[in-house]
């Protein structure tokens, strides 16, 4: 049964695919988790509004007449007392009202109650706001008056100057009127009007209604404070303006409503402390909750949406006391990196409904129509998503108001961020481990490939001879298969190479006997008298036998030299003398050939076998003479370069064929043309030269001359340096 193997490519693909799917799966899981958390938050918030509304159902005493039974609400006439965060300092500077400046209502032409002449905007107008803090109602007035007329000192009349009339109902529904009149800037009190304001005996000082009058460049400012225990459902303010300091007649009356009659008096809505106690008692201070009346005005409010984390408020706290090394790495390195590039951290956002008097929206409309509803909206600056839910408050079959709850997604976002942190930590760990694993895996593969490459390079030398075999491995992957295949291939090549190397000796041994028989037979035949034709054929046969004998001798010579080199003895001798002596003999052996010899004067000593080096030079000169032009000299030079002796034999003639320079050093390779084939050549001359050069640890190279006029053979031999 074949063994199942997982290839290297499959392994890499599997590991890479696994690493790539982890971040995607983790991210999709966190997104789905966030969707489920939002759905859970939405259902929880609707349940919160339903629970609060249930606690307020069928309780008519919690809703005042003007809050729930009023048919319509008129801006400026029906006042709303905002919940103040801090007490107001009565100094007439209005600095404590800065946060509520955009909520102040401007009173101009449409609020004029009486005018002796056509109303002039520059004569009198004012901006006004009321607020509640603990047990007091505060009121602020910024009056624009071109000519303020104050009360004369020691005057018993309070109506012959600019003054403020306050009209209200008590908690029992009784109608009261008060006047505030100042003869100078400073602290003021209100006077209760019991009869006619012109009758000073009918004025009663009410020192619990306190205020401050301050003259300004535009007119004057008034700040008032009165106990909420005095106040019922109705409240109005009116300014009586006097422009003539001589006759001191009332010129204009402008106010929030008509303060002379109870039926024309406007209403005031003070956030209900009873409802606020119920909200705080519900324990949902982490969620911002409103209770509104049927006119969408806020009756009570609790909670801060900036701190609202939903029902997961206790789940988003980090382990502050975790002092482990991993926690330190997360806080100092990983978290800053994550939150700068990958994760958005919850930030403070603009809350457009903070301290709102009216709450609007589709969820409010649906709740006032008797249906619970929830929806998502973005904050004003788009930095956060806010979930709002509303549920109706019932009194019988009528909707008296609604409970509204809002939460931001900071809790969910924080939970998502924590999940993202854990995901990124896991991905970082997996990538680190995977990278190390792949690095080790790739290193192992590359080391095996490099080892196989090195064995392959050492197995075959530059001439194609097998030097050593490749060791096959037992691994079952592709590299193991390649190693075994290359080992088998090199083994077969070695056997074939050994066969080729011994082929010449076998042929020469086997052919000598039949050649000798043929030669003796021809010689015996030539001794008999033969006719002319027979003698010619006998001569041709003798020439063929001679050529065959020469071939056998060359083949035997190569084999003999290769074997004799193994037992040759080396000695130290000057190579200069060897080259010079041999060149003299070559001049006599080739009388028609010119030689140009150049050797350095200092002797170049090498350690080798002089006879074999002389034979190497014989082969190089014979080869150069065969290919040299008749009229050109063969150049022979010997020089020293560093620790090497450079012997160069150069001739003018045909160039080497392309990609044949290394092959010509092998046996049985020759590129001689037909006109050079006067005697048999097997290409063994340069092969013998290569054997001798390798024996002397040198190098032999064939190349075309630089001037492309011929070929040169360069032999590099190591020289022997004697240390002094």
């Amino acid at each position: 049964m074949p063994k199942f193997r997982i290839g290297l490519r499959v392994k890499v693909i599997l590991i890479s695919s696994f690493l790539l799917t982890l971040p995607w799966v983790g991210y999709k899981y966190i997104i789905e988790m966030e969707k489920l958390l939002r759905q859970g938050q939405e259902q929880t918030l609707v349940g919160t509004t339903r629970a609060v509304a249930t606690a307020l159902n069928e309780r008519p005493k919690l809703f005042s007449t003007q809050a729930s039974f009023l048919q319509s609400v008129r801006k400026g006439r029906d006042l709303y007392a905002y919940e103040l965060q801090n007490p107001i300092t009565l100094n007439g500077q209005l600095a404590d009202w800065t946060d509520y400046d955009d909520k102040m209502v401007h009173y101009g032409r449409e609020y004029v109650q009486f005018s002796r002449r056509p109303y002039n905007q520059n004569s009198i107008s004012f901006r006004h706001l009321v607020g509640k803090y603990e047990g007091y109602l505060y009121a602020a007035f910024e009056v624009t008056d071109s000519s303020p007329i104050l009360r004369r000192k020691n005057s018993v009349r309070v109506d012959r100057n600019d003054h403020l009339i306050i009209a209200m109902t008590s908690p029992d529904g009784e109608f009261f009127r008060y006047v505030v009149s100042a003869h100078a800037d400073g602290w003021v009190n209100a006077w209760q009007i019991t009869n006619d304001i012109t009758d000073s005996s009918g004025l009663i000082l009410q020192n619990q209604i306190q205020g401050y009058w301050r003259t300004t460049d535009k007119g004057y400012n008034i700040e008032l404070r009165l106990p909420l225990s005095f106040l019922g459902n109705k409240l109005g303010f009116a300014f009586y303006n006097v422009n003539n300091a001589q006759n001191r007649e009332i010129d204009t009356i402008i106010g929030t409503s008509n303060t002379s009659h109870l039926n024309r008096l406007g209403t005031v809505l003070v956030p209900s402390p009873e409802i606020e106690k119920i909200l705080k008692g519900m324990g949902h201070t982490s969620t911002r909750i409103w209770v509104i009346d049927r006119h969408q005005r806020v009756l009570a409010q609790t909670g801060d949406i900036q701190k609202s984390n939903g029902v997961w408020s206790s789940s988003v706290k980090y382990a502050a006391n975790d002092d482990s090394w991993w926690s330190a790495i997360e806080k100092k390195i990983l978290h800053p990196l994550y939150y700068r590039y990958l994760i958005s951290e919850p930030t403070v956002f603009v809350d457009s409904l903070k301290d709102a008097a009216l709450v609007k929206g589709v969820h409010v409309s649906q709740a006032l129509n008797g249906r619970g509803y929830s929806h998502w909206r973005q904050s004003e600056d788009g930095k956060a998503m806010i979930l709002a839910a509303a549920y109706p408050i019932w009194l019988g079959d009528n909707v008296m108001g609604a409970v509204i709850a809002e939460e931001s997604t900071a809790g969910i976002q924080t939970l998502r961020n924590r999940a993202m942190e854990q995901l990124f930590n896991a991905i970082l760990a997996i990538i680190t481990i995977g990278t190390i694993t792949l690095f080790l895996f790739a290193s192992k593969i590359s080391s095996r490939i490099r080892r196989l490459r090195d064995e392959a390079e050492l197995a075959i030398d530059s001439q194609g001879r097998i030097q050593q075999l490749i060791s096959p491995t037992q691994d079952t992957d592709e590299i193991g298969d390649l190693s075994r295949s290359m080992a088998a291939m090199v083994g077969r090549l070695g056997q074939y190479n050994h066969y080729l190397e011994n082929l010449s000796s076998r042929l020469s041994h086997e052919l000598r006997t039949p050649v000798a028989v043929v030669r003796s037979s021809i010689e015996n035949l030539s001794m008999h008298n033969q006719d002319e034709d027979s003698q010619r054929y006998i001569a041709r046969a003798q020439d063929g036998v001679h050529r065959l004998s020469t071939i056998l001798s060359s083949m035997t010579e190569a084999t003999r030299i290769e074997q004799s080199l193994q037992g040759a003895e080396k000695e130290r001798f000057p190579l200069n003398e060897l080259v010079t002596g041999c060149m003299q003999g070559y001049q006599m052996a080739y009388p028609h050939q010119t030689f140009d010899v150049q050797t350095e004067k200092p002797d170049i000593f090498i350690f080798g076998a002089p006879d074999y080096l002389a034979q190497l030079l014989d082969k190089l000169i014979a080869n150069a003479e065969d290919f040299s032009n008749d009229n050109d000299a063969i150049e022979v030079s010997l020089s020293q370069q560093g620790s090497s002796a450079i012997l160069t034999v150069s001739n003018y003639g045909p160039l080497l064929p392309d990609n044949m320079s290394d092959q010509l050093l092998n046996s049985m390779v020759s590129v001689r043309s037909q006109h050079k084939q006067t005697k048999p050549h097997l290409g063994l001359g340069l092969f013998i030269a290569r054997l001798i050069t390798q024996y002397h640890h040198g190098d032999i190279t064939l190349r075309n001359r630089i001037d492309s006029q011929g070929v040169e053979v360069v032999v590099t031999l190591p020289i022997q340096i004697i240390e002094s």
Side-chain angles (χ1 to χ4, degrees):
M1 183 176 180
K3 185 183 294 183
F4 177 76
R5 296 179 297 178
I6 298 178
L8 299 177
R9 182 180 299 177
V10 177
K11 292 178 183 177
V12 173
I13 292 175
L14 289 176
I15 296 175
S16 302
S17 301
F18 175 71
L19 293 178
L20 289 175
T21 56
L22 284 179
W24 181 82
V25 172
Y27 178 76
K28 295 294 291 184
Y29 174 79
I30 292 175
I31 295 301
E32 292 299 324
M33 180 194 71
E34 184 178 8
K35 291 180 181 178
L36 292 176
L37 290 178
R38 288 197 178 192
Q39 293 177 2
Q41 184 180 13
E42 188 171 353
Q43 295 175 1
T44 302
L45 197 61
V46 172
T48 299
T49 58
R50 183 187 296 112
V52 177
T54 301
L56 300 177
N57 286 339
E58 307 301 334
R59 300 178 68 174
K61 293 183 179 179
L62 297 177
F63 300 91
S64 61
T65 302
Q66 56 84 28
S68 299
F69 297 97
L70 197 65
Q71 294 300 319
S72 62
V73 175
R74 179 182 172 187
K75 181 181 178 182
R77 176 178 178 273
D78 298 299
L79 307 178
Y80 179 82
Y82 289 89
E83 187 74 31
L84 301 177
Q85 302 299 321
N86 298 293
I88 301 298
T89 301
L90 301 179
N91 54 17
Q93 295 181 357
L94 306 182
D96 297 329
W97 301 88
T98 304
D99 295 338
Y100 305 91
D101 187 71
D102 58 333
K103 296 177 173 58
M104 282 192 172
V105 180
H106 181 268
Y107 293 82
R109 182 186 301 275
E110 63 273 22
Y111 295 96
V112 173
Q113 307 293 331
F114 167 80
S115 181
R116 191 174 298 276
R117 55 184 59 87
Y119 174 77
N120 184 359
Q121 185 71 24
N122 295 327
S123 61
I124 185 171
S125 63
F126 68 95
R127 296 171 68 235
H128 164 60
L129 185 70
V130 292
K132 167 206 168 186
Y133 184 80
E134 293 184 351
Y136 291 94
L137 182 76
Y138 291 87
F141 303 92
E142 185 180 24
V143 182
T144 301
D145 189 354
S146 58
S147 57
I149 304 298
L150 298 180
R151 178 184 172 189
R152 293 192 184 100
K153 291 185 178 181
N154 301 323
S155 174
V156 296
R157 295 284 297 272
V158 296
D159 61 332
R160 304 288 289 174
N161 48 265
D162 294 343
H163 58 277
L164 171 64
I165 298 296
I166 306 172
M168 68 179 72
T169 58
S170 67
D172 297 333
E174 188 176 356
F175 182 61
F176 290 93
R177 297 177 72 235
Y178 301 89
V179 60
V180 176
S181 179
H183 57 79
D185 289 357
W187 194 267
V188 294
N189 290 101
W191 298 81
Q192 181 181 347
I193 304 172
T194 57
N195 293 317
D196 189 359
I197 192 174
T198 60
D199 184 6
S200 60
S201 61
L203 299 178
I204 301 175
L205 180 64
Q206 179 53 264
N207 55 14
Q208 294 193 52
I209 301 178
Q210 302 169 337
Y212 199 97
W213 187 300
R214 179 183 292 274
T215 303
T216 64
D217 296 337
K218 296 180 180 181
Y220 52 91
N221 296 339
I222 299 177
E223 287 182 316
L224 293 177
R225 179 180 64 191
L226 58 93
L228 287 175
S229 58
F230 283 19
L231 185 60
N233 296 327
K234 294 190 175 184
L235 176 65
F237 301 95
F239 283 93
Y240 286 68
N241 183 43
V242 175
N243 288 329
N244 194 327
Q246 301 300 324
N247 57 29
R248 291 182 175 263
E249 292 180 346
I250 301 299
D251 184 71
T252 306
I253 301 175
I254 184 173
T256 61
S257 60
N258 193 323
T259 56
S260 301
H261 303 282
L262 174 62
N263 295 333
R264 296 184 179 180
L265 194 62
T267 62
V268 61
L269 177 62
V270 179
S272 173
E274 291 81 5
I275 298 178
E276 190 170 336
K277 290 179 182 179
I278 294 175
L279 294 184
K280 291 183 178 180
M282 296 296 292
H284 292 287
T285 54
S286 64
T287 301
R288 182 166 68 183
I289 301 177
W290 286 295
V291 176
I292 63 173
D293 64 4
R294 60 191 299 180
H295 305 295
Q296 302 180 350
R297 296 186 298 179
V298 177
L299 299 177
Q301 176 185 346
T302 185
D304 185 0
I305 197 172
Q306 295 286 357
K307 300 178 181 179
S308 173
N309 291 320
V311 296
W312 298 277
S313 58
S314 60
S315 303
V316 297
K317 297 179 181 178
Y318 286 96
N321 297 325
D322 188 3
D323 297 329
S324 63
W325 63 272
W326 176 248
S327 178
I329 293 176
E330 282 187 322
K331 294 178 181 178
K332 294 181 180 179
I333 301 176
L334 298 181
H335 289 175
L337 178 64
Y338 294 161
Y339 283 95
R340 183 173 182 179
Y341 299 106
L342 303 174
I343 304 177
S344 58
E345 190 173 8
T347 57
V348 178
F349 53 90
V350 176
D351 180 16
S352 59
L353 296 181
K354 183 179 180 181
D355 300 321
L358 295 175
V359 181
K360 299 180 181 180
V362 62
H363 58 301
V364 177
S365 301
Q366 293 291 331
L368 294 179
N369 288 329
R371 294 185 295 272
Y373 195 82
S374 64
H375 82 114
W376 294 88
R377 65 177 177 88
Q378 274 193 333
S379 61
E380 186 176 350
D381 55 0
K383 293 183 179 180
M385 288 296 295
I386 298 174
L387 172 62
Y391 205 83
I393 301 173
W394 295 91
L395 181 59
D397 295 332
N398 298 319
V399 176
M400 303 300 296
V403 177
I404 302 172
E406 286 189 341
E407 288 180 353
S408 69
T409 58
I412 294 178
Q413 189 175 1
T414 305
L415 284 177
R416 183 198 65 187
N417 291 350
R418 293 190 64 184
M420 286 288 189
E421 292 172 11
Q422 298 300 324
L423 174 64
F424 291 145
N425 290 342
I427 291 175
L428 185 61
I430 291 173
I431 290 177
T432 302
I433 296 174
T435 302
I436 295 175
T437 303
L438 290 177
F439 177 77
L440 296 177
F441 182 63
S443 299
K444 181 180 179 181
I445 292 176
S446 61
S447 63
R448 292 170 59 192
I449 294 176
R450 284 195 301 270
R451 184 169 62 251
L452 183 59
R453 179 206 62 190
D454 295 339
E455 290 182 355
E457 289 181 351
L458 295 176
I460 303 176
D461 61 9
S462 59
Q463 283 74 37
R465 301 179 64 185
I466 304 300
Q467 291 182 327
Q468 64 182 30
L469 298 178
I470 295 178
S471 301
T473 62
Q474 301 302 320
D475 298 318
T476 58
D477 55 10
E478 287 86 346
I479 298 180
D481 292 342
L482 179 61
S483 173
R484 290 187 290 273
S485 298
M486 293 186 65
M489 179 186 67
V490 171
R492 291 192 295 269
L493 287 176
Q495 295 175 1
Y496 183 68
N497 193 17
H498 180 71
Y499 168 76
L500 293 179
E501 290 176 351
N502 295 324
L503 179 62
S504 60
S505 61
R506 292 196 189 99
L507 289 176
S508 61
H509 176 72
E510 295 296 333
L511 292 178
R512 283 190 180 278
T513 299
V515 168
V517 173
V518 173
R519 175 181 294 174
S520 62
S521 299
I522 293 176
E523 289 177 353
N524 291 330
L525 184 62
S526 63
M527 294 179 181
H528 296 81
N529 294 326
Q530 301 288 341
D531 54 18
E532 184 177 354
D533 292 336
S534 298
Q535 290 294 334
R536 186 171 61 253
Y537 291 132
I538 291 173
R540 292 176 62 184
Q542 289 177 342
D543 183 63
V545 171
H546 177 71
R547 290 171 62 87
L548 185 59
S549 298
T550 303
I551 292 173
L552 294 177
S553 299
S554 298
M555 295 171 61
T556 304
E557 180 186 11
T559 303
R560 185 178 66 254
I561 290 177
E562 188 173 6
Q563 293 175 352
S564 61
L565 282 173
Q566 299 177 0
E569 295 183 358
K570 295 181 179 181
E571 61 181 76
R572 183 175 179 272
F573 67 94
L575 185 60
N576 310 57
E577 296 181 1
L578 175 66
V579 173
T580 303
C582 289
M583 293 307 301
Q584 294 175 357
Y586 299 146
Q587 188 64 66
M588 292 184 293
Y590 304 102
H592 301 291
Q593 181 66 50
T594 305
F595 294 93
D596 183 6
V597 182
Q598 295 181 358
T599 59
E600 294 186 358
K601 290 184 179 180
D603 291 337
I604 301 176
F605 287 90
I606 66 171
F607 187 72
D611 294 339
Y612 290 106
L613 289 176
Q615 193 170 0
L616 177 146
L617 192 58
D618 292 344
K619 300 299 182 184
L620 297 182
I621 294 298
N623 187 76
E625 195 277 332
D626 287 341
F627 290 94
S628 177
N629 296 331
D630 295 337
N631 299 324
D632 295 322
I634 297 176
E635 299 176 356
V636 179
S637 64
L638 177 65
S639 61
Q640 179 179 348
Q641 294 183 2
S643 60
S644 299
I646 307 299
L647 175 62
T648 304
V649 177
S650 176
N651 66 275
Y652 293 90
L655 301 178
L656 293 174
D658 294 338
N659 301 323
M660 285 290 293
S661 58
D662 292 337
Q663 298 183 26
L664 292 175
L665 295 173
N666 297 329
S667 63
M668 301 295 184
V669 178
S670 178
V671 292
R672 299 174 186 270
S673 58
Q674 291 297 326
H675 71 279
K676 291 287 184 178
Q677 297 289 346
T678 58
K679 56 183 179 179
H681 288 279
L682 299 180
L684 295 175
L686 293 178
F687 174 68
I688 294 173
R690 191 197 76 186
L691 293 178
I692 297 173
T693 303
Q694 289 179 345
Y695 170 74
H696 289 83
H697 306 290
D699 183 58
I700 183 171
T701 304
L702 274 72
R703 64 192 182 192
N704 293 324
R705 291 171 56 99
I706 299 177
D707 55 7
S708 299
Q709 297 296 319
V711 179
E712 63 182 8
V713 181
V714 180
V715 178
T716 303
L717 298 173
I719 65 176
Q720 186 179 33
I721 300 176
I722 301 178
E723 298 181 356
S724 58

